Amino acid sequence: MGVRQMIEADSLTKEYGNVTAVNRVSFTVTEGELFGLLGPNGSGKTTMIRMLTGQVRPTSGSARVMGLDAAKDPIGVRGLVGIIPEQETPPSFLTAEEYLRFVARIRSLDNVDERCDRWFDLLEFGDKRDVLCKDLSRGTRQKLMFSQAFLHEPRLALIDEPLINLDPIMQRAVKDFLREYVQGGGTVFFSTHILEIAEEICDRIGIIHNGRLLHAGQLEDLVGSGRHLESFFLDLVRGDAGA
Amino acid sequence: MPVPDLFLAMMKEEWRMHSTIFGSLGFALFPAVVAVFAFLGSLTLPLFADVLPYDAVALLAHILFLLMGVMVGSFGLMGREFMNRRFGQASLVAYASRSLPVSERRIFGAFLVKDTVYYILLYVLPFAAGFAAATPFIGLEPGLGLLAFVSLALAFLFGLSVVCFLSTLYARSVALLAGTAAVLAVLALTVFQLGAITVSAVLPPYAFFLDPKVEPLAISLLLVLVPAAISVLFVTVDYPDRTKRFANSLDPLAERLRALGSAHFIAKDALDLLRSEGGAGKVIFSFLFPLGLVWVCLRVLIRFIPGIDPLVVFSALLGVISATIYNWLTEFDSFTSYAFLPVEVSEVIDAKLKSYGVANLLPLAVLVLAAATSGGAGTFFPALAAFASVSAYTLAVTVYLTGLHPNVMLYHASVFLRYLLAISPALLLSRGRTKWQAWEMPGY
């Protein structure tokens, strides 16, 4: 039985007027992998995730996610995967619990009580379940966004800056959860500009700059060659900027 | 930070906010559209003069600008939400009160001045200019354009300052607001019962337009300045200092609405409206208050237009105003929060339409009340038909032109022009329909 490709990006390109946000990027992510897309601010990471989840149509190229064409069947893709967008907040006037129930209804889930309780317990914010989302701290909102993404137990999660706004204790918990999730057969694609996160938990990384994928490969190959991720990243990006 | 600097910063922000959304050209053309519309509309006045005298048109224009002032004020100033929603998320100057030693009173004062200048330039000046340009062609004095600018600006500011005043009362104490509203209602009812209601009493800026003397001008200025000054002096902006907790209401509410389909979306809309600052008070500000004014003004207007059925005209206007409920239904949603879920935009719009249908029970109740209190039972069903058809039509136009963003898209010049062109024939049709009913009624 062959390895299953969860994400297949083929020459993905996105142009906004004269600006090319993502430029002919191709890569694959296989089942059970934790793939980190690294890049400076404005390098095209968020646009890439939006194209992979059908929120933005590519100018050219294609993306298949869990076998579905993201541009042609965005609802199908979003039904299968879990997504945590960057800097997105849950609806202001629902409570944390109501928001999870709202998402559960959209996704037609059963056992909603158990699913909600599990995430309130895991991320330790059950005491905030009846608080309006607008009154939650940023960290708690991020916990809520994390919970909604995994509420339906997806086999693939796409996360834009997964640890943003979380305190060190919760960062540890999330990193542990992601590793366990991948060990249990799940797949994670996430973007970040914080190299330490990638260095700690990723199986494979991609480095993107000015919309172009400069590198994609196993993290252990890099470590095996005796190089630090930070120096490797800086050399690549600075070299690309000077080119 | 001096008020003039705050004012300039807010003006720049307001312009950049709008021009960023619509493009500089698109938004810059908005006043031009208003001017052209006013010019063309003014040219048609002689055609309708036998049905709609100039004085009646002038009264309608003043009511329109009064309502615009109410809308602008109530949209920006929802008591405690004022700083959080309007300023906190949409205006960088808002942060001045948090990071610099600038008082909220000073910010609020600058905000009022900014709204005054900005919206007079955006709405009143172009409208008056369009009217002034048409005066030579319709046999009116060109000086009427200037007079119209002053009196319409006063009508707009009257609406704006009254809403600011009421919102300041609300921010201080809901009981104080309720008490003031009750006193005003009793006064209005007493005056109405005594038959002492006059155009001047209802709308002094209009009285100034008809008779440009010192007295109506002074009364108008007092009605603008006193409420505005009180609202600035006593403004209070409560930052959220307590956490609101609610038991799960989404599921029980959705269960009750299950028959409608998309019940969880409708339930969410209801919770958004009820839990956002102002609660049902928002409806009073932006819906019932203008409707009350329309009703009172219509009672005056019927003196000018024989044969008009006020209930049917009211129901048509009710239909147009009730379509603004759609703006409220979309006001509290951030639609990017649906973009990562398996939901189609059309599904969200469909749910909004259903929410709108449920919310229209309120204007329906208003119509029933108006029919019952005005002795208009005989024309209730035509009025109901006028209300339902105009409401549905106006909503359809709004959704078609603005999608899920009516609160911003209607400021786009081309969108607004298409909106006006689409809505106006419906109102004219409604007016013509009224005349037909009047002719068919024996003894009218």
Side-chain angles (χ1 to χ4, degrees):
Chain A
M1 192 172 166
V3 176
R4 185 177 178 193
Q5 304 293 353
M6 299 297 274
I7 300 175
E8 299 165 89
D10 182 15
S11 292
L12 266 183
T13 300
K14 182 62 187 178
E15 294 170 354
Y16 294 104
N18 295 327
V19 178
T20 303
V22 173
N23 192 358
R24 299 175 62 80
V25 171
S26 300
F27 65 92
T28 57
V29 177
T30 57
E31 189 166 25
E33 221 173 26
L34 208 161
F35 185 97
L37 184 65
L38 316 179
N41 293 327
S43 57
K45 303 187 297 293
T46 296
T47 303
M48 175 62 72
I49 285 188
R50 287 182 179 165
M51 283 194 286
L52 293 177
T53 53
Q55 298 178 62
V56 166
R57 290 183 75 88
T59 306
S60 62
S62 65
R64 293 191 75 77
V65 176
M66 295 183 71
L68 300 177
D69 188 312
K72 291 179 180 165
D73 189 5
I75 300 298
V77 169
R78 296 202 286 267
L80 289 175
V81 307
I83 306 166
I84 305 178
E86 187 191 19
Q87 292 183 338
E88 189 54 65
T89 55
S92 297
F93 297 105
L94 295 186
T95 64
E97 180 181 348
E98 285 171 343
Y99 180 54
L100 289 186
R101 290 178 177 277
F102 181 69
V103 173
R105 278 178 172 262
I106 287 176
R107 292 190 176 281
S108 303
L109 302 179
D110 54 10
N111 300 323
V112 178
D113 290 344
E114 290 80 0
R115 289 175 193 268
C116 292
D117 289 344
R118 182 189 171 214
W119 283 99
F120 282 127
D121 291 343
L122 190 69
L123 297 181
E124 300 173 8
F125 69 118
D127 58 328
K128 306 289 185 195
R129 63 194 301 155
D130 58 353
V131 174
L132 288 186
C133 292
K134 76 180 183 71
D135 294 335
L136 296 173
S137 68
R138 287 185 181 183
T140 309
R141 286 183 199 171
Q142 181 68 356
K143 290 180 189 180
L144 187 56
M145 295 306 291
F146 218 92
S147 304
Q148 64 79 24
F150 286 93
L151 198 64
H152 59 302
E153 299 171 15
R155 290 169 53 213
L156 169 65
L158 296 102
I159 311 172
D160 203 352
E161 299 290 355
L163 303 183
I164 195 166
N165 296 322
L166 295 178
D167 62 44
I169 298 169
M170 203 44 61
Q171 285 189 22
R172 182 73 265 157
V174 167
K175 283 188 272 193
D176 290 345
F177 167 77
L178 291 178
R179 282 302 335 165
E180 286 171 21
Y181 171 73
V182 168
Q183 283 162 9
T187 306
V188 174
F189 177 95
F190 76 88
S191 72
T192 186
H193 58 261
I194 303 173
L195 302 181
E196 290 80 2
I197 300 170
E199 201 156 28
E200 191 176 348
I201 63 174
C202 281
D203 300 314
R204 214 150 61 87
I205 59 162
I207 296 177
I208 189 170
H209 183 239
N210 287 338
R212 294 187 302 119
L213 190 65
L214 304 181
H215 170 85
Q218 295 288 337
L219 189 64
E220 63 182 23
D221 292 344
L222 201 64
V223 176
S225 68
R227 296 205 64 178
H228 287 293
L229 179 58
E230 184 182 40
S231 63
F232 180 71
F233 176 87
L234 291 174
D235 287 348
L236 263 181
V237 169
R238 284 172 178 163
D240 183 59
Chain B
M1 193 175 189
V3 170
D5 291 345
L6 275 174
F7 164 73
L8 286 175
M10 286 179 172
M11 285 289 282
K12 283 180 188 171
E13 270 185 354
E14 193 87 3
W15 168 262
R16 285 174 186 165
M17 188 171 66
H18 284 122
S19 60
T20 300
I21 295 168
F22 312 122
S24 295
L25 183 63
F27 189 61
L29 281 175
F30 182 80
V33 170
V34 174
V36 168
F37 200 82
F39 175 72
L40 295 176
S42 300
L43 289 181
T44 66
L45 289 179
L47 300 175
F48 298 99
D50 56 334
V51 180
L52 201 60
Y54 287 0
D55 285 358
V57 175
L59 178 58
L60 284 175
H62 283 79
I63 293 170
L64 178 70
F65 279 91
L66 176 79
L67 293 180
M68 277 186 178
V70 170
M71 293 291 185
V72 167
S74 59
F75 202 75
L77 301 171
M78 292 308 300
R80 295 172 190 138
E81 210 159 6
F82 161 69
M83 191 61 87
N84 293 338
R85 185 158 61 80
R86 169 76 185 217
F87 276 1
Q89 293 171 14
S91 171
L92 293 174
V93 176
Y95 297 116
S97 70
R98 298 169 190 169
S99 55
L100 293 172
V102 184
S103 72
E104 288 149 355
R105 185 181 296 170
R106 196 170 276 222
I107 285 184
F108 185 54
F111 169 78
L112 266 186
V113 176
K114 183 268 297 173
D115 259 8
T116 299
V117 175
Y118 192 85
Y119 287 98
I120 282 180
L121 290 176
L122 195 68
Y123 294 133
V124 187
L125 185 62
F127 188 91
F131 170 64
T135 50
F137 304 103
I138 55 176
L140 293 176
E141 288 289 324
L144 274 180
L146 181 61
L147 183 60
F149 171 67
V150 175
S151 63
L152 290 174
L154 286 170
F156 171 81
L157 292 175
F158 178 34
L160 180 66
S161 63
V162 166
V163 169
C164 289
F165 173 70
L166 293 176
S167 67
T168 295
L169 290 185
Y170 167 77
R172 287 277 167 188
S173 157
V174 175
L176 188 62
L177 173 66
T180 307
V183 168
L184 289 175
V186 169
L187 274 176
L189 207 62
T190 307
V191 170
F192 189 74
Q193 291 297 330
L194 291 173
I197 193 163
T198 63
V199 174
S200 304
V202 175
L203 199 51
Y206 171 64
F208 174 66
F209 179 78
L210 293 180
D211 186 14
K213 289 181 177 168
V214 174
E215 187 188 345
L217 177 64
I219 293 172
S220 301
L221 285 171
L222 277 176
L223 286 174
V224 170
L225 293 175
V226 171
I230 291 173
S231 63
V232 171
L233 284 174
F234 295 97
V235 69
T236 176
V237 182
D238 286 354
Y239 291 80
D241 55 357
R242 65 185 177 87
T243 300
K244 291 183 178 174
R245 291 177 181 270
F246 295 91
N248 170 30
S249 304
L250 186 83
D251 284 344
L253 197 53
E255 192 59 33
R256 283 203 287 274
L257 296 165
R258 193 173 55 178
L260 296 173
S262 308
H264 46 300
F265 285 104
I266 303 173
K268 179 189 168 299
D269 286 341
L271 293 177
D272 281 346
L273 279 175
L274 293 172
R275 289 176 179 173
S276 52
E277 284 296 327
K282 290 190 292 288
V283 180
I284 294 171
F285 277 127
S286 69
F287 183 73
L288 294 183
F289 183 58
L291 271 182
L293 283 173
V294 165
W295 180 248
V296 170
C297 293
L298 270 176
R299 306 297 299 183
V300 176
L301 195 65
I302 55 175
R303 297 176 187 172
F304 294 98
I305 311 173
I308 194 173
D309 187 317
L311 186 64
V312 176
V313 175
F314 175 74
S315 65
L317 290 170
L318 180 68
V320 174
I321 294 176
S322 69
T324 60
I325 290 176
Y326 180 72
N327 296 32
W328 281 117
L329 292 172
T330 54
E331 168 73 2
F332 303 101
D333 263 328
S334 169
F335 292 102
T336 53
S337 61
Y338 295 112
F340 53 89
L341 294 170
V343 183
E344 300 269 15
V345 174
S346 58
E347 191 179 343
V348 177
I349 290 182
D350 182 57
K352 295 287 175 200
L353 297 183
K354 288 173 180 168
S355 297
Y356 179 80
V358 174
N360 256 248
L361 291 175
L362 177 67
L364 182 61
V366 169
L367 182 60
V368 171
L369 193 67
T373 56
S374 67
T379 52
F380 175 72
F381 286 107
L384 180 63
F387 158 68
S389 54
V390 171
S391 173
Y393 175 76
T394 310
L395 175 70
V397 169
T398 307
V399 172
Y400 178 73
L401 291 176
T402 68
L404 290 166
H405 309 282
N407 294 306
V408 288
M409 289 304 292
L410 280 177
Y411 284 94
H412 193 290
S414 67
V415 173
F416 183 63
L417 180 62
R418 280 183 282 163
Y419 178 81
L420 283 180
L421 290 173
I423 296 295
S424 302
L427 286 176
L428 284 174
L429 197 67
S430 167
R431 199 171 68 190
R433 193 171 168 281
T434 304
K435 293 300 290 179
W436 267 106
Q437 284 162 359
W439 292 338
E440 286 168 0
M441 278 182 194
Y444 225 100

